Amino acid sequence: MIKALRADFDAPDARFVLATLGQTNKDNPQGTEKDIIEAMFAVSDPEKHPEFSGDVATAYTHPLSKGGGSSGHYDNNAETYMNVGLGMGEAMVELLKADN
């Protein structure tokens, strides 16, 4: 998806931040959630995806979530949405700082 978006927008150096599923604890994932969270962290791992090194970050959102799951939209908890947005913003700032 990242490669396609970069191509579609003619932005080969665009930075991306993705957020993990808030309900998934990275230290004890179960079932398909284990596969999903591992894939989400792999995208920003330069050893697994060197083409994204320094351009892609993963925001771990489990500590930011105040309940609910992704299928329940975090129980419509505005604080969770704010926390995830701030976490993703902070990750983007770190990616942009690396340019300086």
Side-chain angles (χ1 to χ4, degrees):
M1 182 172 155
I2 293 170
K3 290 177 184 178
L5 287 170
R6 286 178 171 171
D8 286 349
F9 288 97
D10 193 25
D13 298 322
R15 307 300 190 265
F16 286 87
V17 175
L18 60 113
T20 63
L21 299 173
Q23 77 267 14
T24 306
N25 184 333
K26 69 178 180 180
D27 297 324
N28 190 24
Q30 302 293 319
T32 56
E33 286 187 358
K34 181 178 187 308
D35 297 331
I36 292 168
I37 199 163
E38 287 176 356
M40 290 176 144
F41 280 112
V43 171
S44 59
D45 182 340
E47 290 184 17
K48 294 179 181 173
H49 289 280
E51 70 273 28
F52 299 142
S53 181
D55 293 337
V56 177
T58 302
Y60 178 51
T61 63
H62 179 70
L64 308 175
S65 178
K66 300 295 181 184
S70 59
S71 63
H73 301 286
Y74 300 115
D75 290 334
N76 294 317
N77 185 298
E79 186 176 3
T80 294
Y81 286 105
M82 181 185 72
N83 291 344
V84 171
L86 288 170
M88 293 179 76
E90 290 169 4
M92 180 59 78
V93 167
E94 291 304 312
L95 286 176
L96 296 172
K97 278 184 186 178
D99 285 344
N100 296 328

